[in-house]
Amino acid sequence: MEFGLLKEIVVIFCLSIGVIFLCHKIRIPAIVGFLLTGVLAGPHGLGFVDSVHEVETVAEIGVILLLFTIGLELSISELVKLRKPVFLGGAAQVLLTILLFAGAGSWLGLTPGQAVFAGFLTALSSTAIVLKLLQERAEVGTPHGRIILSILIFQDLIIVPMMLSVPFLSGQSQTESSALLLMTGKGIGVVVLVFFLARKIVPQVLAAVMRTRSKELFLLTTLGICMSVAFLTSSLGLSLSLGAFLAGLIISESEYSLSALEGILPFRDVFTSLFFISVGMLLNMSYFFAHADTVLLVTAAVLVGKTVLAATAARILGYPLRPAVLVGLCICQVGEFSFILAKTGLSQNLIGPDHYQLFLSASILTMLLTPFCIMFAPALADRLGRLPFLAAAAAPYRGPALEGGQHRDLTDHLIICGFGIGGKHLARAAKAAGVDYTILEMNPDTVRAQAAKGEPIAYGDATHPAVLEHAGIHTARVLAIVVSDPVAIRRITDTARKTNPAIHIVARTRFLNELGPLMELGANDVIPEEFETSIEIFTRVMTKYMVPRMEIEKFVEEVRSESYEMLRNLDIQSEPMDALKKGFTGLDVSAMTVEEGSVLDGKTLEETELRRTHGLTVVAVGRAGQVFANPDGTLRFAAGDVAYVFGPHGDITAKAGLFAARRRSWEAPA
């Protein structure tokens, strides 16, 4: 039995291996390579693949799995928080794009229906390409990533009314208000069903499946949920991608979401690759070269127009210029669903064959350019922010967000950039310790809500020197960068170091490969999440095996001293003094709390023999809000005292047990 599609897939994979390898060598994004593979293999290229429709059908699975994984990484509670950017930002982007390109179409001589249809085609963006690139760059959770996701969700929702409007725009049908109302009711019903499944049914089903300890059954169950919900939304006239996204949200509410994500990722990567290849197959190279000037002009108009309008939508939401520009450059392409909409318009005579080919050529070209737009977006956003006529849009602060206590005269305070989970925990700790702090955040809704609670928070983009100066960077002791945007972390670090060379900068990053660049830009401490996670996992595993705590800490210290000297011990909170570090390499001043029942509790400084026996010098002792500098040997330690100890970092770590409470022989280490 001959299986013709198998031959086509073999050709596609073999050709893509060579193209992707070449793209990797010349540092071109893989998505561009997949699109080029489709151009070469398709019927308008070298003609290796004839079954384009069959390949497109298989490739649709890639879009389903991509949106499913996006939903897995979110949660319903997070989606509820996105309702404002979804309905306000998404509606602004779609409506403004339709108005602009419909007006341009009317000016070029199109009928009103054709002009509005042109606006429909350009209003949609490529969910598959944009989210794939943002995932690779770890930017889905950034401020601009959340806005982009919100706009793409709205575009998936608005597809249904667009499809229903095509017969009306072509003049072949009267307005179908009843059909639109019916579709709205179906959409609401699907959302209610999703909430019910996520809360009541799916967690119990997955728990029962997990008790079987069968990976195959669990994978089939998650795929079954994904495909079932996608099929349900498709059968109701909604999009497959919307259903897949909702399916991901359903499973994200259970404790098994990470296991589901792990099983789906390999399938997602394979099928999304096929999707991008199938898109490239649509490009007619003969038409492209025959009308290159027109295609390039339309492509430039789409890229520029959509960038400006999407950035305007982000500004309407209250975000500064930089994230707004990033949003615009990320969703400036034409979306994959526009191809389906264009085929419908072709059948309804809303678009002619020549215009259809022009649309395909320009749309695929915008997709090919998208990875480069996203790659150069941060640099372009920074350049635009320095232009005089955009000074108002780049203003660091706006509106009542200045009311959150930011005008206090602070000295020796902490500046927190970002108020996500990390920022909230840090602010809570600073408040408990009596440390003055101020917060910078770019989400205007977060600023408004937290300012109402009395938090010293202000709206601003910390990549701008004026924002940091307003937060008192010249008099601050520490700047903590806990934002989720890797590019913004580098920009804030560089700006802060240039603004105040003496400030201590602590930056959080997700990846180890960001550690070196951040240190070069001036960060004093860089905390890579994946490294800290591995240390925490190691510590907990070894604790379960009853390995002594001091041995665990010794190993952790060895690992860090070999590769990450700027990282401190897990349990010892220390604050090295920059002056001593510069003058005495390898020496630290660390704050150590004397715990009740420790070796030092109740002894005088002379009796402890810290300097003579252990090589540590106590330079000060903090007690009940007072600090005793340079204490003499008669000072007696009490539980709760904070001893500021000077000495080699390795010695301080090794002797930390002197300050900890002693344990009885039958107690396990903490």
Side-chain angles (χ1 to χ4, degrees), residues 121-301:
L121 294 179
T122 51
L124 304 177
S125 302
S126 175
T127 300
I129 291 179
V130 174
L131 293 184
K132 175 72 172 175
L133 289 169
L134 289 180
Q135 278 189 328
E136 290 176 354
R137 295 167 61 90
E139 294 181 7
V140 175
T142 62
H144 65 272
R146 292 306 174 106
I147 303 172
I148 291 167
L149 177 61
S150 302
I151 292 176
L152 292 175
I153 290 172
F154 183 84
Q155 290 180 2
D156 272 347
L157 294 172
I158 205 66
I159 285 168
V160 177
M162 286 182 175
M163 290 292 290
L164 292 174
S165 301
V166 170
F168 172 68
L169 293 176
S170 65
Q172 299 179 17
S173 173
Q174 299 298 319
T175 178
E176 301 183 7
S177 57
S178 60
L180 188 59
L181 288 174
L182 178 62
M183 193 60 62
T184 303
K186 290 179 179 179
I188 295 173
V190 168
V191 172
V192 172
L193 177 62
V194 166
F195 272 86
F196 176 74
L197 292 175
R199 302 295 184 186
K200 302 295 184 182
I201 306 299
V202 171
Q204 298 181 20
V205 172
L206 293 179
V209 170
M210 287 298 289
R211 282 194 289 270
T212 66
R213 299 185 181 275
S214 172
K215 292 184 178 180
E216 295 81 4
L217 180 58
F218 181 76
L219 178 60
L220 287 174
T221 304
T222 54
L223 284 173
I225 294 172
C226 171
M227 299 300 176
S228 299
V229 179
F231 176 75
L232 173 64
T233 56
S234 177
S235 62
L236 292 176
L238 303 170
S239 71
L240 281 169
S241 57
L242 179 62
F245 177 75
L246 294 175
L249 284 177
I250 291 173
I251 298 181
S252 72
E253 292 298 304
S254 74
E255 61 266 38
Y256 311 112
S257 58
L258 291 179
S259 299
L261 183 63
E262 180 183 0
I264 293 295
L265 287 179
F267 297 95
R268 182 202 68 180
D269 293 338
V270 171
F271 283 103
T272 50
S273 302
L274 276 176
F275 169 76
F276 298 131
I277 292 171
S278 69
V279 170
M281 291 179 183
L282 298 174
L283 182 60
N284 188 331
M285 297 304 297
S286 299
Y287 180 88
F288 177 82
F289 288 118
H291 305 84
D293 52 347
T294 305
V295 172
L296 292 176
L297 182 62
V298 172
T299 301

Side-chain angles (χ1 to χ4, degrees), residues 622-644:
R623 177 184 296 169
Q626 292 183 314
V627 176
F628 302 96
N630 194 24
D632 59 26
T634 62
L635 185 139
R636 188 175 299 276
F637 284 116
D641 285 353
V642 178
Y644 296 89

